[in-house]
């Protein structure tokens, strides 16, 4: 199996962590930003990362890839089967992918991607504005819904935790982190989930790449 993309993307990181936690055998091939091998563009017709290949099967979109991985390897279970827990897991995936990553994109793109990878100054005012006005609402919500167990669904580690923490890791690379004074549960949650080996390995690689 091949996952195409860079783990700096919250969607690629989500897919890699899911594959790692499932115990799947895969490799990561760099692609995205209009670059990458032909298979990446066959997998991802609009050039968005992640792309994915398993034998002759090609597909893109983190949710589609994760759906495939879960179907071919149901255990360990990371997407609950009980109806309400399953729906809540997909809600948190959507919250991470759309709401958190939407805010994170403005911050990470303008502070890191544009200057570092495109050689153009980012719109720092837009990044600051997103951190000042959008980010607190997301973390207020997380602080409200986090159960005492420290896991979003079924009091155990699921896709919900991967999907919500992944974009927060990307924002953390761009100096947008959860304040443990105002949001102690969320700060401890992000730190604990990020320490799982699958996340920690990527975060270390990403920090080294960004420092280079
Ligand atoms: N819904 C997609 C979103 C993928 C996406 O937007 N990826 C971004 C990186 S974070 C990308 O490839 N952007 C490059 C581009 O749009 O050309 C998923 O879950 O995989």
């Amino acid at each position: 199996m091949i996952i195409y993309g860079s783990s700096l993307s919250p969607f690629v990181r989500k897919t890699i962590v899911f594959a790692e936690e499932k115990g799947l055998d895969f490799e990561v091939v760099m692609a995205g930003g209009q670059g990458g091998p032909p298979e990446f563009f066959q997998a991802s017709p609009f050039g968005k990362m992640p792309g994915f290949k398993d034998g002759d099967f090609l597909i893109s979109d983190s949710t589609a890839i994760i759906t495939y991985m879960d179907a071919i390897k149901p255990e360990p279970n990371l997407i609950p089967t009980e109806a309400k827990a399953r729906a809540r897991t997909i809600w948190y995936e959507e919250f991470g992918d759309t709401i958190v990553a939407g805010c994170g994109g403005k911050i990470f793109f303008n502070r890191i991607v544009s200057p570092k990878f495109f050689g153009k100054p980012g719109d720092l005012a837009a990044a600051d504005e997103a951190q000042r006005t959008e980010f607190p609402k997301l973390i207020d919500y997380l602080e409200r819904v986090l159960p005492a167990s420290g896991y979003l669904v079924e009091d155990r580690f699921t896709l919900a935790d991967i999907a919500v923490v992944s974009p927060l890791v990307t924002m953390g690379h761009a100096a947008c982190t959860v304040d443990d004074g105002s949001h102690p549960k969320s700060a401890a949650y992000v730190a604990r989930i990020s320490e799982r080996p699958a996340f920690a390995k990527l975060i270390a690689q990403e920090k080294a790449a960004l420092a280079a």
Side-chain angles (χ1 to χ4, degrees):
M1 279 181 198
I2 301 177
I3 298 170
Y4 297 98
S6 159
S7 74
L8 287 169
S9 153
F11 308 106
V12 176
R13 189 185 303 102
K14 177 180 70 157
T15 306
I16 296 174
V17 170
F18 187 87
E20 191 87 41
E21 293 275 358
K22 277 281 187 187
L24 288 163
D25 193 13
F26 65 97
E27 63 177 303
V28 178
V29 171
M30 188 59 86
Q34 308 312 313
E39 292 82 12
F40 168 63
F41 294 98
Q42 287 158 16
S44 185
F46 300 98
K48 299 235 180 230
M49 57 175 126
F52 177 77
K53 172 174 153 73
D54 185 19
D56 61 0
F57 176 64
L58 295 160
I59 198 154
S60 69
D61 187 275
S62 60
T63 301
I65 298 165
I66 282 172
T67 299
Y68 174 80
M69 289 174 172
D70 195 56
I72 60 165
K73 193 166 187 305
E75 298 297 333
N77 176 272
L78 293 175
I79 306 178
T81 52
E82 189 277 322
K84 290 174 188 163
R86 190 172 182 87
R88 282 207 304 274
T89 300
I90 302 306
W91 152 246
Y92 283 123
E93 185 182 17
E94 174 59 18
F95 169 65
D97 283 3
T98 304
I99 301 178
V100 185
C103 172
K106 293 175 202 164
I107 294 169
F108 188 71
F109 181 85
N110 287 309
R111 290 185 185 162
I112 307 279
V113 176
S114 194
K116 191 166 175 68
F117 300 114
F118 298 152
K120 286 191 213 153
D123 183 345
L124 295 179
D128 292 350
E129 177 71 4
Q131 181 162 358
R132 196 177 59 79
T133 60
E134 287 180 44
F135 184 62
K137 290 184 200 154
L138 314 182
I139 304 305
D140 286 349
Y141 169 72
L142 187 58
E143 191 77 7
R144 258 196 335 270
V145 296
L146 260 176
S149 66
Y151 296 106
L152 284 167
V153 180
E154 283 192 341
D155 296 330
R156 67 183 178 93
F157 182 72
T158 68
L159 170 62
D161 303 305
I162 301 174
V164 169
V165 171
S166 183
L168 292 171
V169 167
T170 297
M171 292 157 102
H173 288 315
C176 179
T177 54
V178 182
D179 178 353
D180 62 355
S182 58
H183 297 86
K185 277 194 323 183
S186 305
Y189 168 73
V190 174
R192 205 178 75 262
I193 300 295
S194 305
E195 279 164 10
R196 293 182 73 90
F199 265 114
K201 190 167 89 180
L202 292 179
I203 293 168
Q205 288 167 4
E206 291 160 11
K207 282 188 174 158
L210 288 174

